[in-house]
Amino acid sequence: MSIYICGACNTGKAEIAWRIGMENTSLQLHIDPADTVFVPIFGVGLDRIFRGRKWEGKTDETYQGLCEYLTLLEQEDIITNEGPLLLLSHLMFFGLLSVFNDEQRREILTRCLALLRRGKHFIVRRWIENGNFNEISVSLQREFRNGRENIFTIPPATDYDSTVEQAVEYIKGRMEGE
């Protein structure tokens, strides 16, 4: 089983994944896997690629990077602070899908949607809203949850530390409930 931790930026997703991964050694831990793929191509991580529009004029490199990234997410028995919900919300918010041809778009979307059927996905919400991007991104991620029993939304806590603690306990509880 794979676990994907998604949600808003700066909610402690990496720390949550790390804590659970350290306790559950049967899961391979991947912190910021997008950086592994995209930093060698663009010199920056996925967040800066999208926000800085560094993909413009580099359709082939971006497509190859997305395919490599999806291959990382498709591995069995991983826990990561990123996932297909996060990727889909970013692709939609920044309009990146529009630069690809139909075949490339179909490939990316088909693989993302297939990943939504696998593993467990956890959407971590911030204790306060912090900007249009996070509000829209989390809303998109939550909408993809509809009808899927393997996607869970963790309610907001009061601050960063309590968000991390609450999310770790919530995810561990869902893992034990299998």
Side-chain angles (χ1 to χ4, degrees), residues 18-168:
W18 184 82
R19 285 189 189 184
I20 293 170
M22 290 296 107
E23 288 182 28
N24 192 331
T25 56
S26 66
L27 296 173
Q28 185 180 0
L29 178 62
H30 289 291
I31 301 292
D32 298 331
D35 288 353
T36 305
V37 172
F38 289 102
V39 169
I41 297 171
F42 296 103
V44 293
L46 194 59
D47 60 335
R48 295 293 166 227
I49 292 166
F50 285 160
R51 290 185 179 136
R53 302 184 74 85
K54 296 198 178 285
W55 45 267
E56 288 184 339
K58 297 184 180 182
T59 303
D60 292 339
E61 295 93 331
T62 305
Y63 175 72
Q64 282 302 328
L66 285 171
C67 287
E68 287 177 39
Y69 179 63
L70 288 167
T71 298
L72 284 174
L73 295 180
E74 290 165 341
Q75 295 178 62
E76 293 292 329
D77 299 322
I78 65 169
I79 183 167
T80 180
N81 64 319
E82 299 174 7
L85 287 170
L86 196 63
L87 179 59
L88 283 167
S89 69
H90 281 63
L91 291 173
M92 293 174 73
F93 186 85
F94 292 104
L96 182 59
L97 289 172
S98 66
V99 302
F100 298 121
N101 65 42
D102 288 346
E103 184 177 318
Q104 291 169 325
R105 247 189 315 277
R106 183 173 34 258
E107 174 76 11
I108 292 166
L109 290 173
T110 300
R111 290 175 73 182
C112 280
L113 293 172
L115 278 166
L116 293 182
R117 291 189 298 270
R118 298 177 41 181
K120 293 187 180 188
H121 306 258
F122 296 91
I123 302 168
V124 181
R125 296 184 57 204
R126 284 187 59 83
W127 49 98
I128 58 170
E129 297 300 339
N130 71 330
N132 286 337
F133 169 69
N134 276 317
E135 289 177 40
I136 293 168
S137 178
V138 170
S139 292
L140 288 168
Q141 291 174 48
R142 291 176 71 196
E143 289 302 319
F144 278 112
R145 177 193 64 203
N146 288 336
R148 293 183 172 92
E149 294 181 7
N150 64 328
I151 300 176
F152 309 93
T153 300
I154 301 170
T158 56
D159 57 22
Y160 179 90
D161 291 331
S162 61
T163 297
V164 170
E165 292 300 324
Q166 175 179 290
V168 168

Side-chain angles (χ1 to χ4, degrees), residues 120 171-178:
K120 293 187 180 188
I171 294 168
K172 285 170 37 179
R174 289 290 179 177
M175 290 171 66
E176 293 167 4
E178 279 192 290

